[in-house]
Amino acid sequence: MKHALLGAAFAVAAATAAFAEDYMIMAPAAPGGGWDSTARTLQEVMVAEGIAGNVQVQNVPGAGGTVGLAQFASSAAGDPTQLIVGGYVMVGAILTNASPVSLADVTPIARLTGEAVAIAVPAASELQTIQDLVEKMKADPGSVSWAGGSAGGVDHITVGLLAKAAGVDPTKINYVAFSGGGEALAAILGNQVTAGISGVGEFLPQVEAGTMRILAVSTEARWPGTDAPTLMESGYDVAVQNWRMIAAAPGLTDEQKAAVLADIDTLAKSEGWKAALASKNWADTYLAGAEFEAQLAKEVEATTAILKDIGLVQ
Amino acid sequence: MSTFEFLLQGLGTAMQPMILLYALIGVTLGTAVGVLPGIGPALTVALLLPVTYGLDPAGSLIMFAGIYYGGMYGGSTTSILLNTPGESASIVTALEGNRMAKAGRGGPALATAAIGSFVAGLLATLALAFLAPHIVKLALVFGPREYFALMMLAFVTVSAAFGESTLKGLTSLFIGLGLATIGIDSLTGQARMSFGVPQLLDGIEVTTLAVAMFALGECLFVAAQTHGLDDKVEAIKGSVRMTAADWKRSWPAWLRGSAIGFPIGAMPAGGADIASFLSYGTEKRMSHHPEEFGHGAIEGVAGPEAANNAAAAGTLVPLLTLGLPTTATAAIMLAGFQQFGLQPGPLLFATAPQLVWGLIASLLIANVMLLVLNLPLIRFWVLLLRIPRPWLYAGILMFATLGTIGVNPSAVELSMLVIFGFLGYGLRLYGYPIAPVVVGLILGPMAEQQLRRALSISQGDWTTLVSTPLSATLLGIAALALIVPMILRLRGKGQVLTQIAGDSD
Amino acid sequence: MTGTPGTGRSPDGAAFIIAGLLAVFGAVLLWDASLIPDKGGYAGIGPAAMPKVVGWGLIALAAATVAGAFKGRLASVPRQNPVPLLLIGAGLIAQIALLHVAGFALATGILFAATAAAFGKRNLILTLPLGYALAFGIYGIFDGLLQLNLPGGWLETLIYGG
């Protein structure tokens, strides 16, 4: 009896392994968050589009994704069926948490989606342009309080980069970290702080309702839905995007990596993925392969530098 | 159309038999999953959301509302009967409710919780419908300094949960405050008390601590009694229904709980847990039977249960009027709304009135359905207590670990569950109250962060804390609530020192 | 806590142990806080402030506990039976150890049987199968229907598929 059971188990295991195109996607966050929903959307679309027969999602939350990343790097090495979702937040978290495992220990495949970070003030504020805000910061950095997400996150990094680009000492910025975009938004709406910084999607409904004004967006190009200028065109050399990506296991052969890249490419260009992006209000910022790797390397370098300047990383 | 006509139209849609059936299914599923220890409303809604996907908008909206209310209510059932609160807002319910259940009054405790949730849900949903735009303006007045003052008030009022010994209550509270410092400090990104263990960087999950301390701690404590427990559990003593006296004592508590819960829930950094703490403190102070608190006072169940339900409806105020998800449950609800094409935000009431009123009508219907389903079920729920101890506690531990495993199946997280379970056992053994530990873990970081935010905005000027009438008033009330009983005690007994130094039993 | 004096452990001894543990916890907080760089920024109080306050608070409470013990005001506790505690503890540790090796159901069934044993049901032929049956049912409902992602082992794969 026992042998029969074991035999059946092996048969099932062999049968599952026979699907060459199965994937296990790790979401290095708890169920319900952004990375989790990215992983689950990938799962849905991959199956629906016939890219993979069976896709599983595994949640390993903790420390800005670094707990999941560390587990992935060690347990998935050389396995082409394992993927991990990640994002720009991870770049910062790896540095601030002094994580022993970094994005160099996995194989980045592609950037899938992203969002601009926007700088906004309450409608009643006397600050009309991003220049007004920067001038105020130059005169007295402490008098400009910024409400944004957690310390060392993309919001904080963007304020640091802006200060540096404008010639203000980044250690002198008065950044007030709030837990979650909701609380920060409430602080801005309630006139508790001078300015706010968060994902542009959180501000757009407020702008529409006339309670808030976006002064600038962080991406290289202007963002749909707002006529706010970019930081670049306002004269500050800052370009940041809060992106989400998919990466594969370390130690893949070139053929294995090419196969994963091809699958993700099929996915990113599929109608199902485009429909999913539209329904979730995610922007398509697809960038794959060598171009993405080069971009990533540049961002890691810039982020490391600014986190040192702000004083979050020694 | 006026507000009222919109609501009537929404109710009309919701009254169709199929829609009512969906509401019933939603409430049943929500209660069934929410009843498990360690699975609070947020996880319940997240788990069951896919069930609603296949239905038409009206049907899925109402099933969703049913799941939400069912999940909220399910948690209080196990808190009362088994002393296993799975989420922070049910902790105070367990304090008095479980005492009542152990005295054979589980029926009335469940009834007052169910009816209180209904009354609060009704009042709060109506307030949501008619007052949301005004309430939200008030909620935005709360900045970091006002929240800090509110937290101080909450700290003072939770001393009502200390039990009879101030020393032991304070000790428990400080253990919680100490545990709260573990993890990354969210204001600076600095790691504290994490000793290089990456899993500790996120701090201690409130659910893990609550499930460990209450469910696991209780289980260990019961198991270790050589001679069995003196207080033999009686499933039912007297009626399972509420007596006339129960009604008389519950009514004011329900109303006060609703009045406290709704505005606190509407504040972006408020939340159902704080509302339930404040309500419990208020009930203890206002009660004609303060001596019953800690031994099964029905007000102590009625008030907090009403408050946490009203607060849950309150969180819909910033969600619907500003698009702000202020709690985990609200964030998941936001995801739910988006599938109905409802994009919460400041213009929602203007741009999609049918959907908003449909949702509000659904909440009202689901609320009624919850009562219809659960009142008759109470007599069956109390039979849970008749399950022989070995099976009952083995089942509790199974579900208690299930919640943790489902969210984060790491060995570190599960080890924390075990360690805190034994800590909970130790605290019980020596008569230290459990609730203040969890309260400290919840309120400690909130108070610390709000204080530091307020000071950061004012650039280090401490007078900012009393610079608005609101914050000054709240701090003043907190100070009075702390000092007045001390003075009374000093004058009355002259024993304040011994009270602080070594009160026991 | 109620208990007749003399039948339990020495109350004062317990109080000293409790006070000692509180003081150690407080000291660890203070030690950890001393290693945190001062990053008060504009607020003036940084991440080290709260641990320091709590640390000193715990040490003060430890002192108050000792003072209370000298007055003999800490009640004694009834004698505890260590066997059930060990059984439940072992069940929990077994669950953690087996969870990722054998899967949710096999690990959790053992916890069920161990807990039942702690409460007097020592008949493993009855309790183990019952625990496994329940755990498999739970796995099926939560992992299969509700997508909760419980760690599965070979047995789960066999019964519910990949």
Side-chain angles (χ1 to χ4, degrees):
Chain A
M1 180 61 200
K2 201 176 166 191
H3 287 286
L5 269 179
L6 275 177
F10 282 122
V12 169
T16 15
F19 275 100
E21 315 226 83
D22 280 357
Y23 282 113
M24 164 68 95
I25 305 177
M26 181 188 283
W35 290 342
D36 177 63
S37 66
T38 307
R40 283 170 202 277
T41 310
L42 282 169
Q43 175 189 30
E44 253 169 62
V45 177
M46 277 180 153
V47 174
E49 294 287 329
I51 296 166
N54 180 15
V55 181
Q56 299 277 313
V57 173
Q58 186 193 6
N59 296 87
V60 184
T66 52
V67 173
L69 189 71
Q71 187 181 323
F72 183 81
S74 63
S75 72
D79 182 351
T81 67
Q82 305 242 28
L83 300 173
I84 183 169
V85 169
Y88 184 62
V89 175
M90 223 180 225
V91 176
I94 288 166
L95 295 162
T96 47
N97 299 347
S99 165
V101 175
S102 78
L103 291 179
D105 298 304
V106 297
T107 310
I109 297 293
R111 181 175 77 190
L112 294 170
T113 161
E115 192 184 25
V117 173
I119 295 167
V121 292
S125 167
E126 82 271 3
L127 302 168
Q128 296 299 329
T129 64
I130 184 75
Q131 283 85 3
D132 292 351
L133 180 64
V134 171
E135 284 314 313
K136 190 168 158 65
M137 192 159 65
K138 274 186 182 161
D140 179 5
S143 72
V144 178
S145 49
W146 296 84
S150 60
V154 60
D155 304 336
H156 195 179
I157 288 171
T158 309
V159 177
L161 287 169
L162 175 63
K164 198 173 164 189
V168 177
D169 180 354
T171 59
K172 290 275 185 287
I173 54 177
N174 190 356
Y175 185 82
V176 187
F178 283 81
S179 32
E183 258 185 67
L185 200 49
I188 306 162
L189 285 174
N191 277 314
Q192 310 287 347
V193 289
T194 318
I197 181 155
S198 186
V200 65
E202 298 212 30
F203 289 149
L204 284 178
Q206 306 299 333
V207 174
E208 223 174 293
T211 55
M212 236 182 221
R213 197 160 52 236
I214 296 183
L215 299 184
V217 294
S218 66
T219 36
E220 277 167 25
R222 288 197 178 197
W223 198 256
T226 171
D227 53 5
T230 65
L231 286 172
M232 292 284 235
E233 68 184 90
S234 308
Y236 310 105
D237 187 19
V238 177
V240 178
Q241 182 190 126
N242 189 13
W243 44 262
R244 291 183 201 152
M245 65 146 186
I246 186 95
L252 297 190
T253 64
D254 285 351
E255 296 84 62
Q256 286 172 329
K257 189 179 162 188
V260 176
L261 257 172
D263 276 351
I264 296 298
D265 199 59
T266 318
L267 169 106
K269 299 199 163 102
S270 71
E271 286 308 310
W273 178 248
K274 297 224 155 83
L277 287 177
S279 80
K280 299 237 162 21
N281 250 331
W282 293 345
D284 188 354
T285 61
Y286 180 62
L287 186 72
E291 283 171 68
F292 174 50
E293 281 173 46
Q295 173 72 19
L296 186 60
K298 217 170 86 186
E299 288 191 13
V300 171
E301 196 186 330
T303 308
T304 314
I306 196 64
L307 285 174
K308 277 189 183 144
D309 290 343
I310 304 176
L312 278 171
V313 174
Q314 267 72 44
Chain B
M1 266 199 280
S2 73
T3 305
F4 199 60
E5 285 166 24
F6 273 125
L7 187 59
L8 283 182
Q9 196 188 26
L11 283 172
T13 320
M15 279 302 189
Q16 296 156 17
M18 268 321 276
I19 300 281
L20 289 178
L21 180 67
Y22 288 141
L24 188 64
I25 296 173
V27 168
T28 313
L29 284 175
T31 310
V33 176
V35 97
L36 306 173
I39 303 189
L43 196 53
T44 307
V45 173
L47 285 175
L48 292 172
L49 200 55
V51 181
T52 67
Y53 283 162
L55 308 174
D56 61 278
S60 64
L61 200 59
I62 198 154
M63 194 188 268
F64 176 76
I67 291 170
Y68 175 59
Y69 271 127
M72 287 285 306
Y73 176 71
S76 55
T77 305
T78 34
S79 301
I80 289 171
L81 293 178
L82 307 175
N83 202 16
T84 56
E87 34 119 13
S88 47
S90 305
I91 287 162
V92 288
T93 309
L95 282 181
E96 300 300 323
N98 188 248
R99 292 299 172 128
M100 287 181 71
K102 281 189 173 147
R105 306 222 327 121
L110 288 174
T112 199
I115 302 171
S117 298
F118 169 76
V119 171
L122 188 71
L123 292 176
T125 311
L126 289 174
L128 171 69
F130 296 100
L131 300 176
H134 308 287
I135 295 278
V136 78
K137 275 186 207 131
L138 282 178
L140 284 180
V141 173
F142 270 71
R145 61 184 155 228
E146 285 83 10
Y147 281 121
F148 174 72
L150 184 69
M151 300 302 155
M152 288 299 110
L153 186 58
F155 265 122
V156 175
T157 53
V158 290
S159 64
F162 277 3
E164 284 119 5
S165 161
T166 311
L167 174 68
K168 286 181 174 177
L170 272 179
T171 305
S172 291
L173 183 69
F174 269 76
I175 291 173
L177 292 174
L179 293 174
T181 63
I182 294 174
I184 291 176
D185 167 45
S186 78
L187 270 78
T188 56
Q190 173 67 48
R192 301 192 292 200
M193 295 286 287
S194 48
F195 314 107
V197 179
Q199 281 86 351
L200 285 181
L201 287 176
D202 283 348
I204 290 168
E205 197 69 46
V206 174
T207 329
T208 305
L209 185 77
V211 168
M213 287 256 168
F214 283 96
L216 196 52
E218 170 96 354
C219 177
L220 290 167
F221 183 71
V222 175
Q225 305 311 307
T226 325
H227 308 293
L229 287 183
D230 322 334
D231 53 348
K232 188 89 182 75
V233 175
E234 281 183 73
I236 303 160
K237 194 160 95 187
S239 171
V240 293
R241 293 167 183 276
M242 287 166 64
T243 62
D246 290 336
W247 278 95
K248 201 171 155 246
R249 289 172 62 178
S250 292
W251 260 114
W254 292 334
L255 297 179
R256 278 193 293 264
S258 310
I260 293 171
F262 184 69
I264 301 269
M267 290 170 195
D273 36 19
I274 294 175
S276 67
F277 300 155
L278 287 173
S279 166
Y280 183 78
T282 310
E283 291 311 322
K284 187 169 182 183
R285 259 167 235 275
M286 311 270 296
S287 173
H288 296 299
H289 311 273
E291 74 288 350
E292 281 185 28
F293 274 76
H295 306 285
I298 195 164
E299 298 96 330
V301 182
E305 268 302 298
N308 91 39
N309 243 40
T315 54
L316 292 174
V317 171
L319 186 63
L320 292 177
T321 54
L322 299 173
L324 297 186
T326 51
T327 60
T329 318
I332 290 160
M333 292 188 85
L334 183 64
F337 294 162
Q338 279 163 346
Q339 62 149 325
F340 311 127
L342 195 148
Q343 190 62 56
L347 298 178
L348 185 70
F349 274 86
T351 54
Q354 306 85 339
L355 275 169
V356 179
W357 292 107
L359 174 72
I360 289 171
S362 301
L363 288 172
L364 286 172
I365 302 277
N367 197 17
V368 176
M369 207 54 100
L370 184 73
L371 196 66
V372 170
L373 177 79
N374 277 299
L375 276 186
L377 279 182
I378 286 175
R379 56 181 68 250
F380 297 104
W381 283 126
V382 292
L383 295 181
L384 266 183
L385 296 177
R386 292 231 174 117
I387 298 176
R389 281 231 180 92
W391 309 130
L392 180 64
Y393 283 104
I396 290 177
L397 280 201
M398 213 164 180
F399 283 114
T401 52
L402 169 76
T404 306
I405 292 171
V407 176
N408 185 1
S410 83
V412 179
E413 194 74 20
L414 284 165
S415 305
M416 278 202 256
L417 190 77
V418 177
I419 292 167
F420 292 137
F422 277 90
L423 177 62
Y425 163 72
L427 291 176
R428 265 185 183 72
L429 192 57
Y430 291 100
Y432 287 86
I434 303 291
V437 183
V438 189
V439 167
L441 184 72
I442 297 169
L443 288 183
M446 286 189 182
E448 183 200 358
Q449 287 165 16
Q450 299 293 9
L451 174 65
R452 286 167 57 197
R453 275 181 202 134
L455 289 174
S456 187
I457 291 169
S458 74
Q459 300 185 55
D461 179 4
W462 285 75
T463 59
T464 186
L465 297 179
V466 288
S467 63
T468 64
L470 189 57
S471 62
T473 312
L474 285 171
L475 279 178
I477 296 172
L480 282 179
L482 187 70
I483 294 163
V484 170
M486 273 192 187
I487 293 174
L488 288 180
R489 224 184 272 178
L490 252 178
R491 286 175 54 181
K493 295 184 189 167
Q495 281 184 337
V496 73
L497 284 176
T498 39
Q499 284 272 349
I500 290 172
D503 210 348
S504 73
D505 213 45
Chain C
M1 284 306 96
T2 49
T4 37
T7 57
R9 301 168 201 171
S10 157
D12 286 353
F16 288 122
I17 292 171
I18 292 170
L21 290 173
L22 290 174
V24 168
F25 188 23
V28 171
L29 278 161
L30 292 176
W31 168 74
D32 188 74
S34 71
L35 301 179
I36 294 174
D38 185 33
K39 289 194 215 167
Y42 287 97
I45 52 171
M50 182 76 172
K52 280 182 187 157
V53 171
V54 179
W56 284 118
L58 281 165
I59 289 170
L61 286 165
T65 306
V66 171
F70 275 117
K71 292 185 186 140
R73 293 185 61 107
L74 206 80
S76 64
V77 299
R79 186 168 293 281
Q80 300 292 299
N81 184 355
V83 178
L85 293 179
L86 291 174
L87 274 169
I88 296 175
L92 287 162
I93 290 165
Q95 187 195 34
I96 296 173
L98 289 175
L99 190 63
H100 291 281
V101 186
F104 172 80
L106 287 179
T108 308
I110 290 175
L111 172 66
F112 184 92
T115 312
F119 282 90
K121 295 272 178 202
R122 303 266 156 96
N123 184 1
L124 287 180
I125 298 180
L126 176 69
T127 57
L128 256 184
L130 186 64
Y132 283 140
L134 274 171
F136 273 111
I138 290 170
Y139 182 90
I141 293 169
F142 283 90
D143 192 89
L145 293 177
L146 299 176
Q147 307 283 314
L148 194 63
N149 275 314
L150 299 171
W154 59 268
L155 205 51
E156 283 89 349
T157 318
L158 180 69
I159 294 181
Y160 294 107

